Amino acid sequence: MKRILICAIVSFSLVVSSCKKDPEIFETASISDFAPLVVGKYITYQLDSLVYQNFGVNQAIISYQVKHEVTELVKDNLDRPAYRITRYIRKTAQNQWVADNSFVAINTGSSLEFIENNMRFLKLKLPVKNGYSWKGNSYIDTYSFNSDVKYLDDWDYMYDSLNTPLTLGAINIDSTLKVDQRDEIIGNSADANSYSEVNVGSENYAKGIGLVFRKFLHLEYQPPTPGTGGSYTDGSYGITLTMIDHN
């Protein structure tokens, strides 16, 4: 009897343990859930662009409206199916849209590659899980002598706030995820007499919509030298994209 009882306990334990989920096995969203690519789909944004004028001394924010529209199914340079995204720009809603740039997006099934200004970014990557990270700028030349985007080197993209509601102005979004990209300060940015560099990047994607918010900032400050004051380098800039409409 004692032996039968022990066997029953062991059998029950095996059944219970087999029902438990392995912490390394989990359900995940697909790339297309947060980056639907269909010809004709568009998202309109408020674009606030931070620039430095007067030889890097004066800071100014210039605002536009931009529309990213999926306009064509194409092939990328690796002969993979890809989508061309055309950017249209206007100063205000009273102005006409004017096409001024284009990008290419590739859903590989396991990642979202986004080509902008001849740079390939890994914007999203499976598995979609809080805390999962990857090298989002690994395809970009940040290491050669002539590279002018060395500040993009070794960025760790990481998922945060999966399935979190987000409010953008009057728009309420039920389910979003955040991709933290960089939050870095080199030197003392509060000290006008010393070199400093600031790199910030994050993006928010809404389920069924796509990119709804983006913040990017790269500032490189050169301290004063005899005869010249402190200033920000030509490559210093910032971008904030906030969705205001979509179809």
Side-chain angles (χ1 to χ4, degrees), residues 196-233:
S196 65
E197 184 176 333
V198 177
N199 296 302
V200 174
S202 67
E203 296 181 338
N204 295 76
Y205 292 81
K207 201 166 189 179
I209 300 176
L211 177 70
V212 296
F213 183 79
R214 180 190 180 198
K215 182 178 181 180
F216 179 89
L217 182 65
H218 168 66
L219 303 179
E220 185 177 347
Y221 176 78
Q222 296 290 345
T225 58
T228 62
S231 63
Y232 289 89
T233 62

Side-chain angles (χ1 to χ4, degrees), residues 171-242:
I171 301 175
N172 297 313
I173 306 169
D174 293 333
S175 180
T176 68
L177 66 83
K178 183 179 181 182
V179 181
D180 289 317
Q181 299 171 339
R182 196 72 155 186
D183 190 359
E184 172 186 58
I185 298 177
I186 300 172
N188 182 0
S189 58
D191 183 2
N193 293 309
S194 66
Y195 173 88
S196 65
E197 184 176 333
V198 177
N199 296 302
V200 174
S202 67
E203 296 181 338
N204 295 76
Y205 292 81
K207 201 166 189 179
I209 300 176
L211 177 70
V212 296
F213 183 79
R214 180 190 180 198
K215 182 178 181 180
F216 179 89
L217 182 65
H218 168 66
L219 303 179
E220 185 177 347
Y221 176 78
Q222 296 290 345
T225 58
T228 62
S231 63
Y232 289 89
T233 62
D234 289 342
S236 298
Y237 73 105
I239 289 174
T240 301
L241 277 177
T242 307

Side-chain angles (χ1 to χ4, degrees), residues 81-96:
Y83 287 88
R84 187 181 310 283
I85 299 174
T86 301
R87 188 179 83 166
Y88 300 88
I89 191 168
R90 65 187 181 186
K91 187 62 179 175
T92 68
Q94 285 68 49
N95 303 118
Q96 295 294 317

Side-chain angles (χ1 to χ4, degrees), residues 40-236:
K41 178 170 179 56
Y42 69 82
I43 303 176
T44 306
Y45 304 95
Q46 173 73 21
L47 167 63
D48 296 314
S49 179
L50 171 68
V51 297
Y52 283 89
Q53 301 170 333
N54 190 24
F55 303 101
V57 174
N58 297 332
Q59 183 185 97
I61 294 178
I62 303 174
S63 297
Y64 302 93
Q65 289 184 355
V66 294
K67 179 170 68 173
H68 292 187
E69 182 175 354
V70 182
T71 52
E72 187 181 8
L73 177 62
V74 295
K75 295 279 189 178
D76 73 351
N77 57 2
L78 299 176
D79 202 36
R80 300 176 300 176
Y83 287 88
R84 187 181 310 283
I85 299 174
T86 301
R87 188 179 83 166
Y88 300 88
I89 191 168
R90 65 187 181 186
K91 187 62 179 175
T92 68
Q94 285 68 49
N95 303 118
Q96 295 294 317
W97 288 115
V98 177
D100 78 324
N101 204 347
S102 67
F103 319 114
V104 175
I106 307 102
N107 182 347
T108 70
S110 61
S111 65
L112 175 69
E113 299 181 11
F114 193 82
I115 302 173
E116 179 179 2
N117 298 327
N118 295 318
M119 294 186 292
R120 186 184 299 268
F121 298 86
L122 276 174
K123 295 288 190 175
L124 301 172
K125 198 172 189 303
L126 293 184
V128 179
K129 179 184 179 184
N130 279 333
Y132 179 72
S133 66
W134 67 98
K135 300 295 184 183
N137 300 343
S138 56
Y139 290 122
I140 299 173
D141 176 16
T142 60
Y143 45 83
S144 69
F145 179 78
N146 294 322
S147 173
D148 57 2
V149 290
K150 292 180 180 179
Y151 57 89
L152 294 177
D153 187 55
D154 201 37
W155 283 29
D156 289 309
Y157 288 27
M158 185 175 71
Y159 290 129
D160 180 19
S161 306
L162 178 63
N163 293 329
T164 300
L166 181 66
T167 298
L168 298 172
I171 301 175
N172 297 313
I173 306 169
D174 293 333
S175 180
T176 68
L177 66 83
K178 183 179 181 182
V179 181
D180 289 317
Q181 299 171 339
R182 196 72 155 186
D183 190 359
E184 172 186 58
I185 298 177
I186 300 172
N188 182 0
S189 58
D191 183 2
N193 293 309
S194 66
Y195 173 88
S196 65
E197 184 176 333
V198 177
N199 296 302
V200 174
S202 67
E203 296 181 338
N204 295 76
Y205 292 81
K207 201 166 189 179
I209 300 176
L211 177 70
V212 296
F213 183 79
R214 180 190 180 198
K215 182 178 181 180
F216 179 89
L217 182 65
H218 168 66
L219 303 179
E220 185 177 347
Y221 176 78
Q222 296 290 345
T225 58
T228 62
S231 63
Y232 289 89
T233 62
D234 289 342
S236 298

